Amino acid sequence: VIFCNDFLLEVTGWQQGELIGADLIEGFVAEENRAETRLVFDEMIETGKTLARFENDILTRKGEHRTVRWNNTILRDASGEILGITCIGEDVTERRQLERQLLQAQKMEAIGRMAGGIAHDFNNILAAILGYTELSLLEVTEESPVHGHLNQILVSTIRARDLVRQILA
């Protein structure tokens, strides 16, 4: 780091004097992203091609992760020699968190719709079981050996129907 603006200081919590001369990748990039980030910067220096947009997590002084979208530009001297890279960042941490929350909400909504559809279909099946069980009970006497079995089917079907109503609610 040979220069840093107030954004970097604000996001990281470091002081300007602590950043100048520091290794940006070792000091600020989350450990799990360092190798990939170093490859990106090395490739830009070697090829002279700018990776205009790059996003990664950086670490604050307190060790918190912040997601920053970088806009990088290769710096050249008057003869075209590469001097370094300027990186201008935008803290997108909250945006990414909101995107994850939205995605989770969309997943939950889809699961709810699917569960509702399954519950509705299951409820139709239960209605048929309940109806035929009630009709069968009308046709057998209480002394019949199947009367008790049909009552058990009726009780279980009513419990299942009530459970489906809870799911649908």
Side-chain angles (χ1 to χ4, degrees), residues 32-96:
E32 61 271 14
N33 297 331
R34 287 181 188 157
E36 176 190 5
T37 303
R38 190 162 304 281
L39 284 173
V40 167
F41 278 85
D42 288 347
E43 185 176 326
M44 282 192 288
I45 294 293
E46 287 175 23
T47 65
K49 294 180 182 176
T50 301
L51 177 60
R53 295 242 191 278
F54 183 75
E55 195 171 292
N56 67 330
D57 281 0
I58 63 169
L59 296 172
T60 67
R61 183 179 202 150
K62 295 178 183 177
E64 298 168 336
H65 287 247
R66 303 295 298 177
T67 303
V68 176
R69 181 187 314 151
W70 299 100
N71 190 358
N72 305 307
T73 303
I74 302 235
L75 295 175
R76 300 177 188 271
D77 64 14
S79 66
E81 288 293 314
I82 297 174
L83 298 173
I85 301 171
T86 183
C87 307
I88 299 173
E90 174 187 4
D91 186 353
V92 294
T93 306
E94 283 80 19
R95 184 180 307 155
R96 294 297 170 255

Side-chain angles (χ1 to χ4, degrees), residues 4 13 41 59 88 104 123 134 136 152:
C4 62
F41 278 85
L59 296 172
I88 299 173
Q104 182 65 22
N123 198 44
E134 288 173 336
S136 297
Q152 283 302 111

Side-chain angles (χ1 to χ4, degrees), residues 78-154:
S79 66
E81 288 293 314
I82 297 174
L83 298 173
I85 301 171
T86 183
C87 307
I88 299 173
E90 174 187 4
D91 186 353
V92 294
T93 306
E94 283 80 19
R95 184 180 307 155
R96 294 297 170 255
Q97 288 172 345
L98 288 172
E99 287 171 355
R100 284 190 291 275
Q101 289 173 356
L102 177 61
L103 183 60
Q104 182 65 22
Q106 289 171 336
K107 286 179 187 177
M108 295 304 291
E109 182 182 0
I111 289 170
R113 279 192 199 146
M114 183 179 71
I118 292 169
H120 182 71
D121 290 346
F122 190 61
N123 198 44
N124 291 339
I125 295 167
L126 289 174
I129 294 170
L130 188 61
Y132 283 112
T133 303
E134 288 173 336
L135 288 174
S136 297
L137 280 168
L138 293 174
E139 294 183 16
V140 297
T141 63
E142 286 188 28
E143 294 79 28
S144 172
V146 295
H147 190 273
H149 300 307
L150 289 171
N151 265 334
Q152 283 302 111
I153 293 171
L154 183 66

Side-chain angles (χ1 to χ4, degrees), residues 1-2 4 8-9 12-24 27-28 60-62:
V1 177
I2 58 173
C4 62
L8 186 62
L9 301 176
T12 64
W14 295 96
Q15 300 296 315
Q16 182 135 0
E18 297 169 312
L19 295 180
I20 303 302
D23 183 317
L24 180 70
F28 306 108
T60 67
R61 183 179 202 150
K62 295 178 183 177

